[in-house]
Amino acid sequence: MLNLVLFGPPGAGKGTQSELLKKQYDLVHISTGDVFRALDENSDLAQLAKSYADKGNLVPDEITIQILESEVQKHTDINGVIYDGFPRTTDQAVALDKFLDKKDTAVTLMLSLIVPEDELKERLLERAKVSGRADDANPEIIKTRIANYNKSTAPVAEFYKNQNKLVEINGVGTIEEIFDRLIQAINAR
Ligand code: AMP
């Protein structure tokens, strides 16, 4: 199985590149952000997730891990998974390792997209015009999301670095250029 963690701050291009990687390697793409947004909006779970996401905060680990695991379980007989936006805390990374271990598999590689903060802010505001996401449109919420990334999520890279699985990818350039860098890193494994 090819299990890729596509990592990076909000606006780094994880969603865009995941869609391309999914086609290239015939993988299942799981974005926890998309899963939260697709929940029945009247459900308690959807409203709980929204109460965090709309402020730019992380949904608590316990809920997020459960959602991720049940999403993975929906797929059988697959080549692998692209994890997009998960894990976002070290506890989530530990949980993913345990979960995959029980399935006799493991994370193959973490691909970390590196993009300067000013560019992230510009990209998110641009995306807001088409995404309709409240958390993309408000500069204060964007600031909170990037601050939460730096505080809670960035340390997850260390976790995979310690397992020799971290590859940093320059996330600035055209979509095709960045995709080529990702492919090279994956094929080099
Ligand atoms: P995203 O679509 O990845 O930008 O995620 C949108 C929002 O969903 C985030 O700001 C969080 O509130 C929530 N979310 C998505 N993935 C996670 C995760 N792995 N852990 C905690 N919260 C998450």
Side-chain angles (χ1 to χ4, degrees), residues 2 4 17 21 24-25 109 111 167-170 176-189:
L2 182 62
L4 304 173
Q17 295 297 336
L21 291 170
Q24 180 82 11
Y25 296 101
L109 211 55
L111 299 152
V167 182
E168 292 190 335
I169 305 284
N170 175 3
E176 294 74 23
E177 281 166 352
I178 299 162
F179 181 56
D180 278 347
R181 291 173 200 148
L182 289 166
I183 298 256
Q184 277 183 30
I186 295 164
N187 293 348
R189 274 282 141 153

Side-chain angles (χ1 to χ4, degrees), residues 32-33 36-37 52-53 57-59 64 85-86 88 92 133 135 145:
T32 39
F36 285 134
R37 283 185 291 275
Y52 290 94
N57 289 323
L58 294 182
V59 177
T64 306
F86 184 96
R88 257 178 161 101
Q92 290 179 16
R133 283 176 55 174
D135 60 342
R145 289 165 71 195

Side-chain angles (χ1 to χ4, degrees), residues 9-11 20 37 47 54 57 60 64 75 77 83 87 97 131 134 145 148 161 166 176 180:
L20 297 174
R37 283 185 291 275
Q47 290 186 5
D54 280 356
N57 289 323
T64 306
H75 304 277
D77 202 17
Y83 295 90
D97 266 11
S131 73
R145 289 165 71 195
N148 282 328
K161 191 177 177 188
L166 171 67
E176 294 74 23
D180 278 347

Side-chain angles (χ1 to χ4, degrees), residues 9-11 14 31-37 49-61 64-65 68 84-89 92 124 127 133 135-136 141 145 148 153:
K14 300 188 294 294
S31 149
T32 39
D34 286 349
V35 175
F36 285 134
R37 283 185 291 275
K50 198 169 154 34
S51 71
Y52 290 94
D54 280 356
K55 295 191 188 84
N57 289 323
L58 294 182
V59 177
D61 282 339
T64 306
I65 291 164
L68 182 277
D84 161 10
F86 184 96
R88 257 178 161 101
T89 63
Q92 290 179 16
L124 290 170
R127 185 170 80 182
R133 283 176 55 174
D135 60 342
D136 284 345
I141 296 173
R145 289 165 71 195
N148 282 328
T153 305

Side-chain angles (χ1 to χ4, degrees), residues 1 28 70-81 103:
M1 291 248 289
V28 172
S70 68
E71 195 61 31
V72 176
Q73 299 291 28
K74 287 181 186 168
H75 304 277
T76 49
D77 202 17
I78 53 173
N79 290 332
V81 176
K103 295 167 84 68

Side-chain angles (χ1 to χ4, degrees), residues 84-151:
D84 161 10
F86 184 96
R88 257 178 161 101
T89 63
T90 303
D91 283 353
Q92 290 179 16
V94 171
L96 181 62
D97 266 11
K98 279 194 195 143
F99 176 68
L100 293 181
D101 193 50
K102 273 192 253 157
K103 295 167 84 68
D104 278 328
T105 183
V107 169
T108 313
L109 211 55
M110 170 192 258
L111 299 152
S112 174
L113 293 169
I114 309 294
V115 179
E117 210 164 292
D118 285 349
E119 177 148 349
L120 295 174
K121 290 177 181 162
E122 275 172 34
R123 286 188 191 179
L124 290 170
L125 290 171
E126 198 53 40
R127 185 170 80 182
K129 295 178 189 163
V130 287
S131 73
R133 283 176 55 174
D135 60 342
D136 284 345
N138 180 325
E140 280 309 306
I141 296 173
I142 291 177
K143 238 186 183 167
T144 306
R145 289 165 71 195
I146 294 176
N148 282 328
Y149 173 83
N150 288 333
K151 177 169 160 265

